[in-house]
Amino acid sequence: MLYLPQLPLKPSLQRHLAKAQAKIDALPTYRDRVYAAKTAWQTKKKKKAQRSAFERIERTLQMASPYCHYCEAVPGTAIEHIYPRGFFPNQTFRWSNYVWSCFTCNTTCKGAQFQLFETADGHTHQPLLKNYRFEAPHNEDTVFLHPRQDDPLSYWALDLETGHWVPKAPKGTRAHARAVYTCAVLRLNERPRLVASRRQAIADYQRLLAHYLLLLAAPTDARIRAQLPHKGPRFQRHPLQAQASLAALALQRRILGQPHPSVWRSLQRQQPALFEQSPEALDW
């Protein structure tokens, strides 16, 4: 799960969302707001201006990462509400409630699953269940990690051997409950292909970083060409070190464009020895 603390949105798009949300918030009853939220979301691209605004909102989310912000393994396909709009109509058009999600995470895994802590300082929590009395949730104290506010890597660590996410906090704490619940809802450790993809990402990041170090330490034409396969004769007339710098930049872009960005952040935190020869990579 990606940590997305600051995702700037253009003021015009903020106003577009605020206007749509204000129409829902102005309705007198919770029931009215739930139904209005459902209709408004289904028709959010009905008009040309609405479609244009939401396409730009979606592109802004994709700029953070084109991969699903939950599993990080495959490209996202749609906006996902962290707080489900069916329970929280007041969050339907809140920019801070959006992430970019793949179909599996959005629909098959999370869906409308959501739990709240019963008290502000307690550890017990309960699920939200659909009811036809339309009673608003008693609070917004979410058990599910909120990637726009909570850094998942503060709650769990990556087991570099198994590729599993492991809770950091001891059992019986709110932090442990949140880590376990979020991981279970998204099935981050229970999807074999996803775990295998994460293990492959660990190997890929380590390999690319090794290539980067080798290129900087001992640049050769063959190593440069491996990263810049289309460099022509004019480019080859530049000093070897200049070519190597461009090839290293290309490698950096490859690293930052890989799936599972949180794996890269985990390596930075958990294996500092990998970065002793390239401390600048700790800031990537």
Side-chain angles (χ1 to χ4, degrees):
M1 177 186 281
L2 284 179
Y3 179 40
L4 306 163
Q6 295 180 340
L7 283 181
L9 189 68
K10 289 184 177 180
S12 60
L13 299 177
Q14 290 274 20
R15 290 192 294 270
H16 177 81
L17 291 175
K19 183 178 179 180
Q21 187 62 53
K23 292 179 181 179
I24 297 172
D25 294 342
L27 296 174
T29 69
Y30 176 70
R31 179 190 181 114
D32 291 339
R33 294 192 290 274
V34 169
Y35 279 122
K38 179 179 179 180
T39 301
W41 188 254
Q42 290 174 339
T43 59
K44 66 183 182 295
K45 294 184 179 180
K46 187 174 181 179
K47 296 180 180 179
K48 184 177 180 180
Q50 293 174 317
R51 183 169 61 253
S52 174
F54 259 91
E55 285 174 351
R56 285 183 288 162
I57 290 169
E58 290 171 350
R59 284 197 296 271
T60 304
L61 287 170
Q62 292 176 65
M63 286 174 64
S65 175
Y67 296 103
C68 172
H69 294 172
Y70 284 153
C71 71
E72 308 181 40
V74 296
T77 57
I79 293 174
E80 141 75 2
H81 292 82
I82 302 165
Y83 282 91
R85 56 181 172 77
F87 292 116
F88 299 93
N90 62 314
Q91 297 277 359
T92 303
F93 291 99
R94 300 287 183 204
W95 169 240
S96 60
N97 194 40
Y98 293 168
V99 294
W100 192 241
S101 175
C102 68
F103 179 83
T104 299
C105 287
N106 191 353
T107 306
T108 306
C109 294
K110 183 170 180 285
Q113 289 190 79
F114 210 70
Q115 293 191 5
L116 299 174
F117 286 106
E118 293 181 354
T119 58
D121 57 351
H123 304 154
T124 58
H125 44 90
Q126 60 183 9
L128 292 177
L129 302 175
K130 286 191 175 181
N131 64 76
Y132 296 96
R133 291 176 295 178
F134 289 94
E135 297 174 349
H138 62 287
N139 64 45
E140 293 188 358
D141 192 3
T142 170
V143 183
F144 188 83
L145 291 178
H146 195 308
R148 300 289 297 270
Q149 301 171 3
D150 306 309
D151 184 354
L153 294 187
S154 296
Y155 289 83
W156 56 46
L158 180 62
D159 186 320
L160 299 175
E161 294 295 326
T162 65
H164 287 180
W165 293 112
V166 181
K168 287 184 174 181
K171 291 183 179 180
T173 62
R174 283 168 64 97
H176 184 273
R178 298 190 73 191
V180 170
Y181 175 72
T182 304
C183 213
V185 166
L186 297 176
R187 301 180 65 236
L188 296 180
N189 291 339
E190 287 137 25
R191 289 186 263 171
R193 290 185 179 180
L194 176 57
V195 174
S197 173
R198 208 153 47 230
R199 293 180 66 184
Q200 183 62 51
I202 294 170
D204 288 344
Y205 280 125
Q206 292 173 332
R207 175 179 53 81
L208 289 171
L209 184 59
H211 287 179
Y212 174 80
L213 295 175
L214 194 60
L215 185 61
L216 291 183
T220 65
D221 189 70
R223 289 171 185 159
I224 293 170
R225 186 172 289 280
Q227 305 307 323
L228 302 170
H230 304 297
K231 67 188 186 80
R234 291 181 63 187
F235 180 84
Q236 294 176 24
R237 287 199 293 269
H238 290 281
L240 188 65
Q241 197 61 45
Q243 297 182 43
S245 295
L246 287 175
L249 181 61
L251 258 174
Q252 178 186 350
R253 289 172 177 167
R254 283 186 63 191
I255 289 173
L256 297 179
Q258 293 289 305
H260 298 289
S262 291
V263 169
W264 174 250
R265 290 183 61 214
S266 296
L267 289 174
Q268 290 173 320
R269 296 186 181 194
Q270 297 175 216
Q271 290 194 331
L274 286 176
F275 299 86
E276 287 180 353
Q277 299 177 54
S278 58
E280 71 279 3
L282 289 170
D283 296 325
W284 295 353

